[in-house]
Amino acid sequence: MSVVDLIIKKRQGLALSQADIAEFVSGVTDGSWKDYQISAMLMAMFIRGLNNRETADLTLAMAGSGDQFDLSGIPGVKVDKHSTGGVADTVTLIAAPLVAACDVPVIKLSGRGLGFTGGTVDKLESIPGMRVQIEPAEALELAARSRLLILAQSDRLTPADKKLYALRDVTGTVDSIPLIAASIMSKKIAAGADGIVLDVKCGSGAFMRDLESARSLAATMVGIGKMVGRKVVAVISSMDQPLGMNIGNALEVIEAIEVLKGHVQGDLLEVSLVMASEMLRCAGLATGSEARQILLGKIADGTGLAALRRMIAVQGGDPQVIYDYGLLPQTAAHAEVTADAAGFVASMDTAAIGRAFIETGGGRKTKEDPIDYGAGIILYKRLGEAVEAGQPLAEIRAATADQAAAAASILRRAIRIGPIAPEPAQVILDRMD
Ligand code: URA
């Protein structure tokens, strides 16, 4: 079928056959489909949806669009973790080293920022010298030296997802359950882990705004995992406010290091412990409450931080960043957002906070945009906290005063101060396996 006929078939709401999907994915991978044709197909898929069979076919075609890791040479159960995307979601940089410190190998593929959400690969690239684009043969050699590797998709690993991900980011086609499920699960299948723990974000700063859609995304991904014989667990966690206090590439690396040093408590630590506990459980190493104690021990004795340090060094980065944050990119312009009135932090439009972050220069507006690794936002308050009129709510860091001002104007509207504190909310909302 011609490219245009395939697009029209989906636009008309018809189900694509396995052969149609294979044709689409190979056209994306070999460049024979133009960006505008791929974008049109993505929009048709976004609007018309994909049934479970189409989603599974898309996932497997994307997983097979490039090389796949064979981790069987690495002893032990290999586990992987992936988030559906959030704001100040630095869990990977905390949970993965903690699990690796328990002698469980973690070799994972991560993504770049998508829409208003951040990406682990962008965060890691803020570390001077850090290499994330490593081909499978070299990665397997490096894995022998470090039980932890966090890699980007190269042109040879899930190249179809790499292309689709970048186009979805700039064509308004991100928040679709089948497209997210296929994107995540194709990377997880290609990365070869035996167990996969998914962090499905739900709330104002997530692609899934309500619990019902988050459950549906979780069930779709767990179902795909079952089909390919991988153990998959999905945790649904709240994204009704940024998970950590730092939003930005270098800023989030710093916050992750601070958590691993034992200096930070709160939601980011909590979600990291839950995800890492699930990873240990998947590896057959510990049950829930035992796992938590083991992981807290890895923070207390510094072995979690040492695992991160080893990974940075093995991937060519400067491990001194762990002790000297001045080695990370810095910015020239600063701005502050203050409370207009006294009261409580009543709600946060977390997606808008993610968009304010993009205005700082830290995220991309088009797929070719360079990013400013030092730019970002430091929040001072969490939901429900009391504030005085004029008290600082957040600090903005950017290269120019104009960028800082643009971010400040969005941020000011994204944080609502009200007379009554909202009910304290749970950060972990559900679990599915
Ligand atoms: N993370 C991914 O890898 N893909 C998506 O589509 C969303 C989040």
Side-chain angles (χ1 to χ4, degrees):
M1 206 181 276
S2 77
V3 170
V4 175
D5 287 341
L6 272 183
I7 296 170
I8 292 173
K9 184 171 178 185
K10 189 75 263 182
R11 193 197 72 195
Q12 289 174 334
L14 301 173
L16 297 175
S17 68
Q18 190 181 30
D20 295 338
I21 288 175
E23 200 171 318
F24 168 60
V25 171
S26 81
V28 170
T29 310
D30 66 20
S32 57
W33 279 50
K34 305 291 176 208
D35 281 7
Y36 49 82
Q37 294 172 318
I38 302 170
S39 302
M41 178 60 105
L42 285 170
M43 187 56 83
M45 288 175 163
F46 182 95
I47 292 173
R48 290 301 195 167
L50 298 177
N51 64 31
N52 286 345
R53 198 263 314 143
E54 289 175 287
T55 307
D57 286 343
L58 181 62
T59 307
L60 294 181
M62 283 161 66
S65 65
D67 294 345
Q68 304 207 20
F69 276 123
D70 176 4
L71 300 181
S72 55
I74 301 171
V77 179
K78 276 70 64 181
V79 291
D80 197 346
K81 170 265 158 197
H82 203 92
S83 159
T84 58
V87 178
D89 171 13
T90 322
V91 169
T92 290
L93 295 182
I94 301 162
L98 288 176
V99 171
C102 299
D103 255 344
V104 175
V106 182
I107 289 115
K108 77 183 267 17
L109 289 189
S110 283
R112 296 186 184 279
L114 185 64
F116 54 81
T117 68
T120 303
V121 162
D122 292 333
K123 295 171 203 179
L124 285 175
E125 282 185 337
S126 72
I127 300 172
M130 192 76 185
R131 291 169 61 220
V132 288
Q133 210 97 50
I134 298 174
E135 298 303 335
E138 187 188 353
L140 291 176
E141 254 174 58
L142 296 182
R145 282 195 269 146
S146 165
R147 307 215 112 216
L148 171 62
L149 291 181
I150 303 179
L151 308 172
Q153 290 149 287
S154 66
D155 288 337
R156 291 174 48 188
L157 273 164
T158 54
D161 178 61
K162 188 177 182 196
K163 185 71 183 271
L164 294 178
Y165 194 90
L167 285 174
R168 284 169 56 218
D169 191 21
V170 292
T171 56
T173 51
V174 171
D175 46 340
S176 140
I177 290 178
L179 294 181
I180 295 176
S183 164
I184 293 180
M185 292 307 292
S186 63
K187 283 192 284 274
K188 301 299 99 179
I189 292 167
D194 310 298
I196 300 161
V197 180
L198 301 167
D199 185 2
V200 179
K201 301 289 185 190
C202 170
S204 69
F207 300 128
M208 300 296 110
R209 294 296 166 104
D210 56 74
L211 198 51
E212 197 189 330
S213 343
R215 284 192 176 123
S216 164
L217 175 58
T220 305
M221 292 193 289
V222 169
I224 294 171
K226 204 172 268 175
M227 199 181 67
V228 294
R230 309 282 169 96
K231 221 191 254 185
V232 183
V233 177
V235 172
I236 301 178
S237 68
S238 169
M239 191 40 73
D240 273 333
Q241 61 183 325
L243 186 59
M245 302 306 269
N246 287 7
I247 306 156
N249 296 301
L251 288 172
E252 291 183 45
V253 168
I254 294 172
E255 193 168 15
I257 294 170
E258 286 292 299
V259 172
L260 288 170
K261 286 179 178 173
H263 298 166
V264 178
Q265 307 288 318
D267 289 346
L268 176 58
L269 172 66
E270 179 57 27
V271 176
S272 302
L273 289 173
V274 169
M275 296 305 294
S277 299
E278 291 290 357
M279 291 167 82
L280 289 189
R281 208 192 334 218
C282 237
L285 224 77
T287 62
S289 60
E290 269 168 22
R292 194 180 179 89
Q293 287 319 308
I294 295 172
L295 294 162
L296 285 170
K298 300 296 174 192
I299 294 180
D301 68 10
T303 49
L305 187 63
L308 179 68
R309 186 186 185 287
R310 199 173 320 113
M311 179 196 83
I312 293 174
V314 161
Q315 291 187 220
D318 181 355
Q320 279 304 110
V321 295
I322 284 181
Y323 313 105
D324 181 357
Y325 301 147
L327 296 170
L328 289 163
Q330 311 288 319
T331 52
H334 289 216
E336 217 169 53
V337 170
T338 55
D340 292 337
F344 298 89
V345 179
S347 65
M348 294 202 200
D349 179 344
T350 312
I353 297 176
R355 283 191 286 273
F357 161 66
I358 292 173
E359 291 298 327
T360 66
R364 295 179 189 82
K365 288 183 186 166
T366 73
K367 79 182 168 67
E368 289 80 20
D369 276 354
I371 55 177
D372 178 347
Y373 290 104
I377 298 168
I378 300 175
L379 292 175
Y380 297 140
K381 295 286 176 190
R382 296 200 69 73
L383 276 182
E385 278 191 56
V387 294
E388 299 297 331
Q391 198 178 4
L393 298 174
E395 177 191 327
I396 294 167
R397 297 187 180 179
T400 67
D402 282 354
Q403 286 172 310
S409 105
I410 298 176
L411 195 56
R412 197 165 288 122
R413 280 175 278 130
I415 304 176
R416 193 174 67 80
I417 307 298
I420 301 165
E423 288 293 314
Q426 297 287 330
V427 68
I428 301 296
L429 305 175
D430 204 354
R431 177 187 186 279
M432 225 180 251
D433 63 14

